[in-house]
Each structure stands twice: as structure tokens, then as C-alpha cells.
Amino acid sequence: MKGKLYYFGAWADTDGALQKWIDDRDFLLAEQAAPEKGITVRDLCNLYLLNQQRRLRDDEIGESSYGDYLTVCTRLVKHFNRESVFKLTSPS
């Protein structure tokens, strides 16, 4: 932690701040970034595929396109799984 200031929440929500500390402490003590909260790659792919299934059902896309989308999403989930999409960055 080395002198860095961390914010865990407002004084008005001490229970929430304590819970955030409990969730993040192992990462902070190991000097690693705590995982971001939010939608995961798996969740995003599932939502995307649900939308593509609707489009397939409504004849807006074909079976081949849906199969391609499924293949790409399967690969993404295998690699990133429950990683938050907010942690993903583009290469520099």
C-alpha cells in the first residue's frame, strides 16, 4: 500500500466502506489492483448472443452469421471469462 490513499466510501455508509475493504484487502495487501465491479465478458457475451438469437429467429441474420458470433463469444469467454469489461484496454 506504501503510502497510497484509498477511498472505500462515505462516512455515512460505514457498512458499505467496510465491505469494500473486505472485498479488496487481499489485492491491496498483495499490491495488486482490485478487480473492477461491473459487467463481465461472460455476461456481455451472453447478452449479445441473446440478441443475436432474436435476430436469427426474426430472419435478420442467417445461421452462418450466428455460428460465427457464437464461435467468437466462446473464445472470448474461454480467455477472459469473468473479467470485468471495464478492465480491458486496447493495445498501445
Side-chain angles (χ1 to χ4, degrees):
M1 297 181 40
K2 297 185 181 179
K4 188 171 180 183
L5 183 62
Y6 292 92
Y7 180 74
F8 295 102
W11 281 103
D13 184 19
T14 55
D15 290 337
L18 176 60
Q19 187 59 52
K20 181 155 177 45
W21 161 250
I22 291 169
D23 292 343
D24 295 353
R25 72 176 166 211
D26 293 334
F27 296 99
L28 296 174
L29 294 173
E31 298 182 8
Q32 298 175 351
E36 298 270 341
K37 302 290 188 243
I39 190 166
T40 65
V41 172
R42 175 186 219 104
D43 295 337
L44 186 61
C45 283
N46 284 337
L47 289 171
Y48 178 75
L49 288 173
L50 282 173
N51 185 56
Q52 297 312 311
Q53 285 174 348
R54 180 201 54 79
R55 293 182 70 210
L56 177 64
R57 184 190 66 231
D58 294 344
D59 291 325
E60 294 176 21
I61 63 171
E63 294 272 343
S64 177
S65 293
Y66 180 77
D68 291 343
Y69 301 147
L70 181 60
T71 299
V72 170
C73 285
T74 300
R75 288 181 181 167
L76 285 170
V77 170
K78 272 187 180 178
H79 185 75
F80 295 108
N81 197 13
R82 298 206 180 272
E83 188 77 42
S84 169
V85 296
F86 300 112
K87 287 187 72 178
L88 303 179
T89 60
S90 61
S92 42

